[in-house]
Amino acid sequence: MRVLIVDDDPMVRRGVRLLVEGEAVEVVGEAGDGEEAVRRAAELAPDVVVMDLRMPGTDGVAATERIRSRPGAPPVLVLTTLDSDRSLVRALRAGASGFLLKDAPPDELVDAITAVHERRTSLSDAAARRLVRIAVGEDDGRRRAARERVALLSDREREVAVAVSRGLSNTEIAEALFMSVSNVKAVIGRVMSKLDAPNRVLVANTVRDARLDEG
């Protein structure tokens, strides 16, 4: 896996490189701010971008949104010290596929890089609990809005969306629903478009808000 590391602290970048670089991970570049991250991502075409959030100038959220807006964009794993609901939600809405704190153990970081590279969602336990808390606190208006969005889905798209919400990989979805992996990818693309969800995390959130996964 070819990885781009983005952090304004060179010592952090060096530390992350030492932690992850090995047989399965090749660090192909580094960037010290959001503008450089966007440029380097376009130049190097990494498989995964490991992104800090708090940086001078263009921050990690804005950089993530710009990187993810491009065709064929790599997934972004946020690696940050910002442990707050707002940071988590902003990063996911920008298109990040994973959220991890910098004090995570090395093997958890490598596992998270692998997960987002495989187009799976990767959240720390704390971030997952926070998402549950956010979801529990939402009002009926959010649920109605979610149900209006999922009403746009076909039966097959709903089945795939529910499978995504349960954390299944594309291969697992294909096996469970007797589809090809390429067909699963195409259906997920349509689901994301109809739900206005830039990543699998937000697809899962919409499914759960609509209580579609309880049917």
Side-chain angles (χ1 to χ4, degrees):
M1 294 173 290
R2 303 171 69 255
V3 174
L4 172 66
I5 300 171
V6 184
D7 198 291
D8 62 328
D9 187 336
M11 293 301 293
V12 171
R13 296 199 303 272
R14 177 174 173 78
V16 173
R17 177 187 284 268
L18 291 173
L19 287 174
V20 305
E21 197 162 38
E23 193 171 308
V25 177
E26 175 192 3
V27 177
V28 295
E30 299 179 9
D33 58 52
E35 283 294 332
E36 186 181 9
V38 174
R39 184 173 66 254
R40 296 283 277 167
E43 292 171 353
L44 298 172
D47 296 317
V48 176
V49 178
V50 177
M51 179 77 71
D52 187 23
L53 289 185
R54 184 161 48 196
M55 294 182 289
T58 301
D59 67 8
V61 171
T64 295
E65 189 168 25
R66 288 171 59 185
I67 289 170
R68 291 294 300 154
S69 69
R70 294 178 174 176
V76 175
L77 170 66
V78 168
L79 183 66
T80 183
T81 58
L82 296 178
D83 186 16
S84 69
D85 291 356
R86 183 171 180 270
S87 299
L88 172 61
V89 172
R90 288 182 67 225
L92 295 178
R93 284 178 174 166
S97 299
F99 191 95
L100 197 63
L101 296 179
K102 288 181 177 177
D103 59 0
D107 57 342
E108 190 171 339
L109 176 55
V110 174
D111 287 346
I113 291 172
T114 302
V116 298
H117 176 245
E118 295 176 350
R119 296 304 193 267
R120 294 185 284 118
T121 301
S122 179
L123 298 175
S124 67
D125 289 344
R129 288 193 297 270
R130 187 170 291 116
L131 277 181
V132 171
R133 187 170 66 245
I134 292 169
V136 169
E138 294 296 342
D139 59 16
D140 289 340
R142 183 179 181 88
R143 186 171 302 155
R144 284 195 299 271
R147 286 178 174 173
E148 289 173 2
R149 289 197 296 274
V150 300
L152 301 173
L153 303 180
S154 68
D155 290 344
R156 175 59 88 184
E157 288 165 351
R158 288 190 185 200
E159 289 176 336
V160 171
V162 169
V164 167
S165 76
R166 292 172 178 166
L168 298 185
S169 67
N170 289 349
T171 300
E172 291 169 332
I173 294 172
E175 292 174 352
L177 299 180
F178 304 102
M179 302 168 63
S180 68
V181 173
S182 61
N183 195 12
V184 169
K185 291 179 180 178
V187 173
I188 290 175
R190 294 199 300 271
V191 168
M192 288 180 175
S193 177
K194 289 183 178 182
L195 297 184
D196 192 23
N199 56 49
R200 297 168 80 107
V201 173
L202 294 182
V203 169
N205 285 352
T206 302
V207 168
R208 289 164 188 157
D209 283 346
R211 302 290 177 88
L212 193 63
D213 55 340
E214 295 179 1

